[in-house]
Structures are given as structure tokens and as C-alpha cells.
Amino acid sequence: MFLSLGLSIFFDERMQAHWKRFKNRRNLRIWQDAAASCGLQVEKTSSSLLAYAGPVDVRIDAVGGNDQDALITVVAPGPPDFKKVRIRLEAPDPTQWVREIQTGDARFDRTFFVEGPVRLVFALLDERTRHLLLQVRSKGRLEISLGELRAVTSARKVPSVLPFLVELCQRFAQPMNVLRRVAENANRDSEEGVRLHNLLLLAHELPGDPVTVEALRTACSDPGTEIRLRAAKELGAEGRPILLEFAESRADDALSAGAVLILDRELPFERARAILDDALRNRRLQTARACLEVLGRSRATEAVETLAKVMLEEEGELAAAAALALETTRSPEAEPPLILALRREPKDLQVAAANVLGRIGSAEAVLPLKELADRSPRNSELLQATRQAVAEIQSRLPGASPGQLSLAAAEVGQLSLAQAEAGQLSIATDAGGQLSLPTVESGQLLLGEDGEESVQKD
């Protein structure tokens, strides 16, 4: 019995050893054929395969206990600092500070973690190179470090992986002008994000360089809106006429709006107003919002009138945007139309007007704000906005504390903020019955003996 068991174990081990040798020979034949199809010369065949073609050296080893996987290592001389480039699947230890480079290709950036000299990385990772790296990743694991490409894949998949690795090394070994390659990527890559990243790298690291300027000029005709805008902006004075052309274009609302915002105060008031009128007629809302924002910062005397007109005639986001732009003007003429907007639907405009009045309003806005709150007791957003606005206005009044209310003795029946204790109420001693805002400021509301409202002037 023991003899039979021993013989069984002996023959099992012999069979396993025989099977392992058979798989090794089979794998080596597969790898040798794959190397030959890539134009490589096989130097040695044993448990590993060594091959070369020009500057490219290849080594293929079996890995794992079952000899089902292969490690392919490909080496070729690369450009200066190529050994500092590292491309891998895993992010580094979070305790170590490492700068990750984003190429602008969303799929590639999700797949690989890239480190190294930024200009060289951008030059190397052109469209074809990124495609090859993603193809290798789809069939196994890949890492590039210290000038070597290493891929682990199934032994049977070596013929489909090896050509990609060899082509990658051949591309890395080719002489190249790093700056020119980056410029080519900025103008020719099919991925808009890659074109933008390469363009901004040129503009920020090599401003004024002839290669950079030429790439920026070419990018002004790029299909991507953001790229055209950034290119025109980075061209400085040369790009201003291009931005003006973009601002007045009706073809792309986002492009026109972006150009308006970049030009900002460099855009003449009359030109900005003309662009706004055209945008409103053609319902190019992004451009209209951008014009409102720029007009608010223009500080032109006519800006308040234009913004007030839009606020009271438009609806929704444009009306609210006009209200916010009125705040930016910092003009005392902005308050009356904002007070008028408190009486106009919809609620989002009323909320926007209340918020702005809270920041720039005077005592004249307090009563309209309180009236609006009384008319909308169930609208929590509006109640909060009006109450906050009243508190902000009162906090700015000299000698006043929020919530103080009194009937002053100085003028007949004047309603004012008391200067003693919060909430103090007193009645005038010389004449009775009349309620008014103090006459110390112009524009105050008075209630006369006949019940008619009037505005007190200085």
C-alpha cells in the first residue's frame, strides 16, 4: 500500500515537472514568434527570452507559480530626464507629497498616475502614445519608471501586448524638440482638454516665445470655445481685437459671454450696451448676464438707467442679475429702482433686491422692506432677506441700534430710531398725530394732516 502511494506521488511529480517544461517550451515558442513579428532579433531562449532591435532591448520572463503570466521589460534610450518620468496605475502613498500631472485626457487621467518634468511629460504623451499606453493597460498591468517599460500580462497575451510596448519605446527613443512637440499637441490633439493644457503650459512657462505666440494665434481658430478665449487672452494686446470680434459674435453664446467678461472695463460702455441689447433681442442669456456684470463695474453714469430697465422689464435670472449689477455701480441712484423692484414679482427678484438693499440701502428702504415682509408672511426666504436687510441698514445709521423705534420730540409726529435704549417708544410733546421720517435726510416719507404722502426735501 505504501509502495503504491509512493509511486503515485513520484509519477505525479514527474507529470507536473513534465507539464511545466512543456508550458515553458510552448510559451517560449509563442514569445519567440511574437518577437520576430515585431522585427526583434532573439538572442537567447531558455526560461526567459531576450531580444533586441536597434536601441530597443526586450526581456520576457515567466512570473507566478503556475507560469501563466509573463513580465515584459522593454528598455530604450529616451530624451534627457526620461528616467524621471513615472507612469503607474496606483496613486502614491498619501503621506508623501507627489505632484500628479493631468494631461487633459479624462480617460487617460483616470487610468494612470503621472509624475515627472511637466514639459517633457506633455511632449511625450501625445495622442498616439496615450492610445498605446491605454491598449497595454487593457491587457495587463503597466508601469514606466527609471527609463523602463514593464508590463505584466497573460503568457498567451504577449503577442498582442509586445508590439505596443516596442512601438512605445521606439517613440520615446526618437529625437524630438520638446517645445515643438508641446505646440503640436496644443494645436492638433483630438482631445480638447489636452490641447488646452498644452497651450496653457506654453503661455505660462514660455510667454513671448515665437513658438508660443504661433501656437496661440493658431488656437484662436480652435473648435473649442474655452481654447479660443484663452488663446486670445494670452496674446495680450494682439488678442484684444479678436476678443471684441468674439464678444459681438452671435454664433456662440458662451464664446461671446466669455469674451465680454475677459474684456471687462476695456469694453467701451456704448459697445457693451449694444451687445446687451442684441443679446436680449436674440435671447442669448449668457452674453446678456456677462454684459450686465460688466456694465455694473463700468461705473458709467448711464449704467444705472440701463440696469434698472433690464431689472424691471426682464424676468427670472436676468432681472436678478441686473439687481446685483446695480449694487456694483456703487451709485446712490441705484436705490430707487431697487425699492421699486420690491413691489414687483417674481419672488426671486424681490429677494435679490432686498439683499442688495441690505448692503447699499439707506433709511428710505426700511419701510418698503417691512411692507414687503408683511405682504409675504409665508415666504421664509423673502422674510429672512427683508429682515436681514433692515438689520443691516439700521446698523449703518449713526447713533442707532437695530430695532430702536420712537416718536421723536424734535419734529411733529416724527418716526425715528431712538438713541437711548433699543425698542424705546416716545410721543412728541408739541403737536400730535403725525407720523413722519426725520427731516435730517432728504427723500423722507411724511404723512400730513390730510393723510397724503409726501417726500421731505432738504
Side-chain angles (χ1 to χ4, degrees), residues 35 172 188 296 353 413 451:
F172 294 151
R188 299 179 185 177

Side-chain angles (χ1 to χ4, degrees), residues 5-299:
L5 180 60
L7 289 172
S8 176
I9 293 173
F10 173 76
F11 282 114
D12 284 345
E13 291 177 347
R14 290 284 303 271
M15 288 297 294
Q16 290 176 6
H18 176 74
W19 177 242
K20 184 174 182 179
R21 286 194 298 272
F22 170 77
K23 287 194 297 182
N24 285 339
R25 289 194 298 271
R26 182 197 63 189
N27 287 341
L28 284 172
R29 284 196 301 270
I30 293 174
W31 300 347
Q32 188 170 1
D33 291 342
S37 68
C38 293
L40 300 173
Q41 299 294 320
V42 177
E43 186 177 87
K44 176 183 177 182
T45 58
S46 57
S47 58
S48 300
L49 182 141
L50 301 178
Y52 64 92
V56 178
D57 290 328
V58 177
R59 180 186 178 98
I60 308 177
D61 297 284
V63 293
N66 55 10
D67 298 321
Q68 294 297 312
D69 292 332
L71 169 64
I72 309 173
T73 305
V74 187
V75 183
D81 289 335
F82 179 60
K83 290 187 176 183
K84 298 179 181 178
V85 175
R86 186 173 185 186
I87 301 176
R88 49 182 162 161
L89 299 178
E90 301 86 0
D93 185 339
T95 62
Q96 298 179 354
W97 188 91
V98 178
R99 181 185 180 186
E100 179 183 7
I101 299 174
Q102 296 288 313
T103 67
D105 182 336
R107 181 187 174 199
F108 183 88
D109 292 337
R110 286 195 304 268
T111 305
F112 293 106
F113 191 96
V114 183
E115 308 165 50
V118 178
R119 201 179 304 175
L120 175 60
V121 167
F122 275 34
L124 291 173
L125 295 180
D126 59 10
E127 189 166 3
R128 179 60 183 173
T129 300
R130 298 196 312 276
H131 171 75
L132 293 171
L133 291 170
L134 288 169
Q135 287 298 313
V136 175
R137 174 64 187 101
S138 69
K139 302 177 186 298
R141 298 178 62 80
L142 171 69
E143 180 175 353
I144 298 177
S145 64
L146 300 176
E148 296 184 351
L149 284 73
R150 293 182 292 275
V152 176
T153 187
S154 166
R156 289 182 173 273
K157 290 183 179 180
V158 168
S160 62
V161 174
L162 184 59
F164 296 135
L165 293 172
V166 172
E167 184 179 349
L168 280 167
C169 262
Q170 290 172 340
R171 292 178 67 83
F172 294 151
Q174 292 175 356
M176 69 171 177
N177 183 310
V178 171
L179 184 56
R180 289 286 181 186
R181 180 71 68 82
V182 174
E184 290 175 4
N185 295 341
N187 293 143
R188 299 179 185 177
D189 201 283
S190 65
E191 288 286 338
E192 182 175 337
V194 174
R195 297 198 303 274
L196 179 61
H197 278 60
N198 280 267
L199 189 70
L200 294 180
L201 176 69
L202 290 173
H204 295 163
E205 292 198 3
L206 297 164
D209 187 283
V211 174
T212 299
V213 174
E214 184 59 33
L216 289 171
R217 289 171 178 165
T218 302
C220 287
S221 300
D222 192 277
T225 296
E226 185 178 359
I227 293 177
R228 279 185 282 173
L229 289 171
R230 293 303 296 266
K233 179 182 179 181
E234 297 296 341
L235 280 172
E238 180 183 340
R240 291 299 178 264
I242 301 173
L243 287 170
L244 285 170
E245 181 181 344
F246 290 164
E248 295 175 335
S249 170
R250 298 177 181 175
D252 187 331
D253 191 20
L255 178 67
S256 178
V260 169
L261 291 174
I262 292 173
L263 289 168
D264 203 6
R265 294 188 183 183
E266 293 184 34
L267 186 62
F269 175 81
E270 291 299 335
R271 207 159 182 175
R273 184 162 61 180
I275 295 172
L276 172 63
D277 291 341
D278 184 78
L280 292 174
R281 282 195 301 271
N282 293 283
R283 308 315 297 170
R284 293 186 292 118
L285 301 185
Q286 293 183 64
T287 302
R289 286 197 303 271
C291 287
L292 292 172
E293 186 176 332
V294 169
L295 287 172
R297 288 195 291 267
S298 70
R299 304 291 175 86

